[in-house]
Amino acid sequence: MSELDPRNRAALVLMGLLVVLTIVEMGLSYWENRKYYEKRDTFNNIYLTSIAVVTNLLVKASTFFMLSFTYQFRLFQIHNVYLYWFVLVVVQDFLYWVLHYTGHYCRLFWAMHVTHHSSEHFNLTTGFRSTVFEPFYRTFFYLPLALMGFNAIDILYAYLITQLYGNIVHTQYKVALPKWYGWLFVTPAHHRVHHASNIPYLDKNMGMMLIIWDRMFNTFRDEDLPEPVKYGLTKQPEDMGPVNIIFHEWKALIHDVKFAPGFRNKIGYLLNPPGWSHDGSSQTARALQREYEKQTLDK
């Protein structure tokens, strides 16, 4: 049997580490009665990641084709191997931030991304609660990497590494990290904010591995509220069955588009942030945050 490529070995080791950490966290949660896990929620997370694996396999060939085709038109090539991987990982992480930002500020993409935020629990299996339709559009965000001279296999490997890092920060356990680390990298505290439904925390900390993009583009927020973090959505669906978790926002979006007066308003529901409405009957996260800040100042 031929030996595994060093990159594949490293990926297997990292995935194995994630599985071990998940089992340890689950065991500690039950042992210490922290209630970080709930049986149905955990099964939903496993179900959703299984669907995402199938979806990834379905689009694997087209992903390679699009990246390899675009690679033919690369604008330059980095020959130093260390610089090559450094630039690839950093730019890939930035492009993921753009993808993630789009998922929060365009309702059409939010309808797909909302699945990942629908859990009212936060643990390492929450990272498996995948945006199951993301593989169908993720590649388009990574095409600039191919134009920069990075080949398809390396792009997908860089994504895997940052994705595994992004999974590890889904934990409520307090992790002691040096202050400088939290200036550069996403920490569990940063990502707890991202999954919170507390109004000041909405749409914050979009980074997968590096938090510098959020600091640069004003989407950063510390975990600094006096009240506890409340996980999930601002309005949880009543039916938390696995099918409705995937499609509930699609149903709401189709309803809003169908009954919106005029073509412009219909497009508005698709492209504006979640919460936007043509008649002001609902509010975006930014509008809610402005109201919250005003009320806080008035107290």
Side-chain angles (χ1 to χ4, degrees):
M1 188 172 69
S2 60
E3 286 192 18
L4 286 172
D5 181 276
R7 289 177 300 187
N8 291 335
R9 287 203 300 270
L12 287 172
V13 169
L14 290 170
M15 285 189 284
L17 175 62
L18 179 59
V19 171
V20 170
L21 287 173
T22 302
I23 293 170
V24 169
E25 186 192 55
M26 192 179 294
L28 286 174
S29 173
Y30 281 108
W31 181 266
E32 298 169 350
N33 197 32
R34 291 178 179 264
K35 296 182 172 59
Y36 291 164
Y37 285 80
E38 191 272 328
K39 188 181 294 183
R40 185 186 182 189
D41 182 78
T42 302
F43 279 123
N44 277 339
N45 293 342
I46 295 170
Y47 161 80
L48 289 166
T49 200
S50 300
I51 297 294
V53 167
V54 172
T55 308
N56 274 286
L57 290 174
L58 288 173
V59 302
K60 184 177 181 180
S62 61
T63 296
F64 270 91
F65 172 78
M66 284 190 288
L67 291 172
S68 298
F69 179 80
T70 307
Y71 180 72
Q72 297 177 82
F73 306 98
R74 57 193 179 276
L75 303 175
F76 55 86
Q77 189 88 48
I78 300 174
H79 297 287
N80 181 287
V81 65
Y82 300 106
L83 183 62
Y84 176 94
W85 280 102
F86 175 79
V87 173
L88 172 55
V89 171
V90 170
V91 177
Q92 183 274 321
D93 193 70
F94 170 69
L95 292 175
Y96 173 81
W97 182 91
V98 174
L99 182 157
H100 200 176
Y101 183 94
T102 304
H104 279 255
Y105 284 95
C106 173
R107 192 175 174 196
L108 177 63
F109 286 93
W110 173 247
M112 294 178 270
H113 184 61
V114 69
T115 304
H116 182 62
H117 284 268
S118 60
S119 176
E120 294 180 280
H121 300 268
F122 188 73
N123 52 62
L124 287 173
T125 68
T126 309
F128 305 148
R129 198 182 190 93
S130 301
T131 302
V132 297
F133 295 114
E134 187 178 291
F136 289 111
Y137 61 86
R138 181 174 59 219
T139 307
F140 295 99
F141 286 83
Y142 290 154
L143 291 180
L145 291 170
L147 288 174
M148 293 173 66
F150 301 106
N151 66 57
I153 293 175
D154 291 344
I155 292 169
L156 295 178
Y157 184 71
Y159 172 75
L160 175 63
I161 297 301
T162 55
Q163 178 71 53
L164 288 170
Y165 182 92
N167 275 90
I168 290 171
V169 296
H170 288 82
T171 182
Q172 291 188 62
Y173 278 95
K174 310 298 180 183
V175 181
L177 295 166
K179 191 171 182 178
W180 65 264
Y181 189 93
W183 275 94
L184 296 174
F185 296 99
V186 174
T187 68
H190 295 153
H191 210 60
R192 287 194 290 270
V193 167
H194 180 68
H195 274 262
S197 61
N198 309 60
I199 288 174
Y201 288 163
L202 295 175
D203 298 339
K204 302 298 183 183
N205 301 352
M206 309 280 187
M208 173 88 85
M209 185 177 73
L210 298 172
I211 199 66
I212 55 175
W213 317 121
D214 292 291
R215 294 186 183 279
M216 289 169 62
F217 298 109
N218 200 32
T219 54
F220 175 77
R221 176 83 192 213
D222 271 319
E223 188 183 33
D224 56 4
L225 291 179
E227 67 264 25
V229 174
K230 186 178 184 300
Y231 299 106
L233 306 172
T234 53
K235 293 181 181 178
Q236 286 292 125
E238 292 182 13
D239 177 4
M240 289 301 288
V243 175
N244 196 55
I245 288 173
I246 298 173
F247 292 108
H248 74 274
E249 181 62 18
W250 281 107
K251 296 174 187 175
L253 176 58
I254 291 169
H255 175 274
D256 288 342
V257 170
K258 182 179 179 180
F259 291 99
F263 180 75
R264 185 173 180 177
N265 286 323
K266 292 181 187 295
I267 295 298
Y269 278 107
L270 291 171
L271 301 183
N272 282 317
W276 178 88
S277 57
H278 72 281
D279 57 2
S281 58
S282 58
Q283 294 177 296
T284 65
R286 285 179 174 171
L288 291 169
Q289 286 164 348
R290 286 194 293 268
E291 277 193 9
Y292 178 93
E293 290 168 6
K294 183 179 178 182
Q295 290 171 5
T296 303
L297 290 172
D298 290 342
K299 286 182 180 179

